[in-house]
Amino acid sequence: THGDIKDVPSLFSWDAEKEQDFCPAKDLTDEPKEAKTEQEEEFSLWMCQVQIFFTTKFFPAYQHEKVLREKIQENRLRDAELAELRKIKDEELAKLIAEREEETKRQEAA
């Protein structure tokens, strides 16, 4: 829905430095907090950033796209139904006009 997508911060406003402290993956590891090597710290930071991206940007955007696709499909079906109704009304109107023209011709002939 439109309200949900506004709640999601834009990709350009995402500040990895601010969000690097938030990392649910850190809570899941049972490793003792030993001194990590610089490579392990960088990898851990990267994993957190990837996780943050997917949970805050990618998944909400995917859900929004699914909603939009469903709405587009609903709109197409509704438009097709309205077109069919318009066609029926046009045919009825054409018949009514033809009948009136025929009636006026009879009156002129009489």
Side-chain angles (χ1 to χ4, degrees):
T1 60
H2 295 297
D4 294 341
I5 198 68
K6 290 180 181 176
D7 296 336
V8 178
S10 75
L11 182 60
F12 299 110
S13 68
W14 182 48
D15 188 358
E17 294 298 321
K18 290 180 184 176
E19 293 185 3
Q20 68 179 325
D21 294 333
F22 169 75
C23 185
K26 288 181 183 177
D27 299 335
L28 299 175
T29 59
D30 293 333
E31 298 175 14
K33 295 188 176 184
E34 300 173 352
K36 294 184 177 181
T37 66
E38 187 175 326
Q39 274 188 331
E40 289 173 336
E41 287 179 12
E42 286 179 20
F43 180 74
S44 177
L45 175 62
W46 179 81
M47 287 295 292
C48 288
Q49 290 172 343
V50 168
Q51 182 176 9
I52 290 167
F53 167 77
F54 276 101
T55 56
T56 62
K57 309 293 183 254
F58 185 77
F59 294 139
Y62 175 75
Q63 291 297 331
H64 181 67
E65 180 190 11
K66 281 177 55 176
V67 169
L68 289 179
R69 286 178 188 249
E70 290 172 6
K71 290 202 180 274
I72 289 170
Q73 184 66 25
E74 290 171 7
N75 288 344
R76 285 182 180 161
L77 291 173
R78 188 190 68 220
D79 290 346
E81 291 172 359
L82 289 174
E84 187 66 29
L85 287 174
R86 270 189 245 116
K87 181 180 174 185
I88 292 170
K89 285 184 179 181
D90 288 345
E91 290 172 355
E92 291 175 357
L93 186 60
K95 286 180 185 177
L96 183 62
I97 290 172
E99 288 174 4
R100 288 197 181 174
E101 286 177 353
E102 189 176 306
E103 186 178 315
T104 57
K105 287 180 183 180
R106 282 189 215 152
Q107 288 179 355
E108 289 176 358

